[in-house]
């Protein structure tokens, strides 16, 4: 067993005491969004009850308190991802906005006709569509890496596809469908050999893995705080200082300027150059609280628990005849995301039956339609774990899957 004290952790998540139609809630949809501990919830109400004021504008006490709390959250996140400078941490609304910022600011400035943008075939739509738009606008070409039979990036293929025409290499740190953990450093080193820039989508990675942007060797790193115990509406773009300094602003208006004349303006320094308008102050501050909570647990402990519960779930799921599990079957090579299909049961039907049992899983294409096409399926069911999930809940998932067989009259599970 891992050193994680799950019973103590569960007491800090009030939503886990809920019942659904008289059944205990089993929340296994953490890849979509995680639940929030009391200290994060309390941070939100405490801000509005005691500190509410705009930041970077007032000289009164409340504004100074608000500014200090907001910039304190930036410092916490800088340390959490191993960044060198807090000015490299840009707050956005979510990982999607962070990727769009890079595509529209760095991309329009640097991608030229004939250049190639290399992606993995596992990308969430948010790390595909912005590059489709940029490639069409700049007459560049999208090039897709290949996966091996275990759902991992084929590095022999990568060495052939990444070359002198490559301008950008971008990939997920951990697939939200296959659970695959990508060889980020190896891909980054390969890209840099040809002078290409590397953007990593860490939305599924940083909540579960000890992460250092220095060790990953990337140039940009993006993620959303709501998947790691924080509130919705806060994303982060981390970028190397020299790259961010050379990029034009993405949005224009208040707080991103240092001076404005009638005809022309001078822009603010990093990170505020990219944070136009009043930001999501209370949620950013609560995000800092979430990060401190994870630091307190220790990301090595988080990962240890995830490997154990994923290994247990993989072994239990294999007890079911005719189940198809996607991605690596070695728990040490994947995150706590397990996508599967049961013969003759549509994933949406499966999701509804699980919900009737009080179990929240995800069903559908998971915003990865091209990958679904590669897998030759319309969608999958997906169970995803986090720090508060137990082996007992995995057993309850198995029991509910057997009930699904009974309800749907499926002969595959007996």
């Amino acid at each position: 067993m891992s050193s994680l004290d799950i019973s103590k952790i569960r007491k800090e998540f009030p939503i886990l005491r809920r019942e659904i139609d008289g059944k205990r809630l089993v929340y296994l949809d953490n890849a979509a969004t995680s639940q929030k501990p009391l200290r994060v919830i309390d941070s939100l109400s405490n801000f509005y009850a005691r500190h509410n004021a705009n930041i970077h504008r007032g000289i009164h006490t409340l504004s100074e308190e608000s500014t200090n709390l907001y910039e304190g959250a930036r410092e916490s996140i800088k340390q959490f991802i191993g960044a060198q400078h807090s000015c490299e941490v840009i707050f956005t609304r979510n990982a999607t906005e962070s990727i769009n910022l890079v595509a529209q600011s760095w991309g329009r400035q640097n991608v030229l006709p004939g250049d190639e943008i290399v992606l993995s075939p596992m990308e969430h739509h948010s790390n595909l569509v912005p590059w489709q738009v940029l490639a069409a606008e700049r007459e560049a070409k999208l090039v897709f890496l290949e996966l091996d039979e275990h759902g991992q990036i084929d590095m022999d293929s990568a060495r052939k596809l990444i070359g002198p025409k490559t301008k950008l290499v971008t990939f997920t740190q951990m697939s939200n469908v296959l659970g695959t953990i990508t060889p980020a450093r190896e891909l980054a080193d390969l890209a840099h050999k040809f002078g290409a820039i590397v953007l990593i989508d860490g939305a599924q990675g940083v909540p579960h893995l000890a992460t250092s942007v220095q060790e990953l060797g990337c140039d940009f790193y993006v993620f959303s705080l709501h998947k790691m115990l924080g509130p919705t509406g806060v994303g982060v773009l981390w970028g190397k200082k020299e790259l961010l300094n050379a990029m034009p602003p993405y949005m224009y208006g208040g707080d991103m300027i240092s001076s404005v004349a009638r005809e022309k303006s001078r822009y603010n320094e990093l990170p505020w150059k990219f944070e136009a308008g009043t930001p999501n102050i209370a949620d950013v501050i609560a995000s800092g609280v979430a990060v401190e909570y994870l630091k307190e647990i220790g990301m090595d402990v988080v990962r240890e628990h995830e490997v154990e519960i994923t290994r247990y779930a993989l072994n239990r799921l294999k007890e079911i005849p005719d189940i198809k599990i996607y991605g690596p079957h070695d728990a040490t090579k994947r995150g706590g995301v397990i996508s599967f299909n049961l013969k003759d049961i549509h994933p949406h039907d499966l999701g509804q039956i699980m919900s009737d049992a009080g179990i929240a899983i995800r069903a559908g294409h998971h915003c990865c339609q091209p990958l679904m096409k590669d897998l030759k399926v319309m969608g999958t069911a997906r169970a995803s774990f986090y720090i508060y999930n137990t082996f007992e809940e995995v057993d309850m998932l198995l029991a509910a899957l057997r009930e699904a067989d009974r309800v749907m009259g499926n002969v595959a599970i007996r």
Side-chain angles (χ1 to χ4, degrees):
M1 295 290 290
S2 72
S3 52
L4 200 60
D5 188 344
I6 299 177
S7 61
K8 180 183 175 186
I9 285 174
R10 289 183 67 87
K11 290 176 183 171
E12 300 188 52
F13 290 79
I15 200 169
L16 299 180
R17 295 194 285 274
R18 264 206 68 179
E19 292 188 346
I20 305 292
D21 296 331
K23 301 177 185 69
R24 170 187 151 187
L25 168 67
V26 175
Y27 188 77
L28 302 178
D29 194 18
N30 296 287
T33 194
S34 71
Q35 298 301 342
K36 323 303 175 193
L38 264 177
R39 66 182 77 178
V40 169
I41 298 168
D42 289 345
S43 170
L44 291 167
S45 59
N46 184 57
F47 173 78
Y48 287 115
R50 292 184 54 80
H51 306 292
N52 181 42
N54 216 326
I55 59 171
H56 305 147
R57 289 164 171 81
I59 56 171
H60 56 80
T61 299
L62 291 185
S63 181
E64 288 182 353
E65 287 176 354
S66 182
T67 299
N68 289 339
L69 289 167
Y70 183 90
E71 294 301 333
R74 197 190 309 274
E75 181 66 24
S76 290
I77 291 169
K78 169 211 150 188
Q79 292 174 7
F80 192 72
I81 61 172
Q84 283 190 311
H85 310 284
S86 57
C87 68
E88 295 173 326
V89 175
I90 313 294
F91 287 121
T92 61
R93 289 182 302 165
N94 42 51
T96 301
E97 184 172 281
S98 299
I99 294 167
N100 275 272
L101 193 164
V102 176
Q104 294 302 308
S105 178
W106 176 87
R108 282 181 168 173
Q109 197 175 49
N110 291 281
V111 174
L112 300 172
D115 285 343
E116 293 182 349
I117 298 170
V118 177
L119 309 92
S120 94
M122 298 182 285
E123 298 312 303
H124 190 283
H125 295 164
S126 61
N127 197 31
L128 170 59
V129 179
W131 307 116
Q132 290 176 336
V133 173
L134 179 71
E137 181 182 308
R138 304 298 295 164
E139 298 181 35
K141 180 183 176 184
L142 299 182
V143 175
F144 291 90
L145 299 169
E146 296 175 2
L147 299 181
D148 65 19
E149 59 188 276
H150 305 294
Q152 294 175 312
I153 290 178
D154 183 335
M155 286 305 298
D156 287 337
S157 164
R159 282 184 273 275
K160 293 174 185 170
L161 294 170
I162 296 172
K165 291 183 179 179
T166 306
K167 183 66 76 170
L168 171 78
V169 178
T170 181
F171 51 88
T172 179
Q173 187 181 11
M174 187 178 93
S175 166
N176 70 320
V177 175
L178 304 178
T180 306
I181 297 172
T182 51
R185 183 66 199 222
E186 204 173 347
L187 284 168
D189 288 346
L190 181 58
H192 288 153
K193 272 177 62 179
F194 297 97
I197 295 299
V198 175
L199 182 148
I200 297 178
D201 177 359
Q204 299 294 336
V206 71
H208 305 274
L209 306 167
T211 297
S212 162
V213 292
Q214 309 299 325
E215 292 178 8
L216 287 171
C218 56
D219 300 286
F220 296 110
Y221 186 85
V222 305
F223 57 100
S224 292
L225 273 298
H226 72 92
K227 296 180 191 290
M228 48 193 294
L229 311 182
T232 56
V234 180
V236 165
L237 162 64
W238 170 85
K240 287 181 177 172
K241 191 175 175 181
E242 59 271 23
L243 288 171
L244 293 171
N245 269 327
M247 289 161 52
Y250 175 54
M251 293 175 65
Y252 300 84
D255 214 30
M256 52 74 61
I257 48 83
S258 61
S259 67
V260 178
R262 285 194 172 188
E263 304 298 334
K264 196 172 180 181
S265 300
R266 292 178 58 229
Y267 306 133
N268 209 337
E269 299 175 348
L270 291 175
W272 308 293
K273 181 173 80 170
F274 293 107
E275 295 181 3
T278 296
N280 190 357
I281 303 168
D283 292 295
V284 166
I285 293 168
S287 296
V289 174
V291 163
E292 290 301 319
Y293 183 73
L294 285 170
K295 283 185 195 171
E296 197 176 293
I297 294 172
M299 292 308 294
D300 290 342
V301 176
V302 171
R303 175 61 180 157
E304 183 185 11
H305 171 65
E306 185 165 275
V307 170
E308 288 186 2
I309 196 169
T310 302
R311 181 183 292 125
Y312 181 72
L314 287 169
N315 288 335
R316 294 288 337 255
L317 287 170
K318 287 173 188 171
E319 295 173 11
I320 300 176
D322 292 325
I323 193 170
K324 172 70 175 176
I325 299 172
Y326 302 94
H329 285 210
D330 182 345
T332 64
K333 295 180 178 176
R334 62 182 300 155
V337 172
I338 302 178
S339 290
F340 57 92
N341 272 316
L342 289 184
K343 186 179 179 183
D344 297 333
I345 303 181
H346 192 284
H348 285 173
D349 292 333
L350 206 52
Q352 184 59 57
I353 296 169
M354 295 300 106
S355 181
D356 293 343
I359 301 172
I361 64 167
R362 184 71 172 264
H365 55 63
H366 315 299
C367 298
C368 288
Q369 287 180 325
L371 179 60
M372 294 296 128
K373 191 174 179 182
D374 291 348
L375 296 174
K376 298 182 173 56
V377 295
M378 292 175 60
T380 71
R382 183 184 73 184
S384 51
F385 309 107
Y386 209 25
I387 53 174
Y388 34 71
N389 290 125
T390 64
F391 287 17
E392 180 192 8
E393 290 179 322
V394 174
D395 294 339
M396 293 168 76
L397 172 67
L398 263 291
L401 289 174
R402 293 186 186 281
E403 176 65 8
D405 172 49
R406 188 189 69 78
V407 171
M408 301 301 291
N410 191 300
V411 296
I413 312 169
R414 286 181 291 210

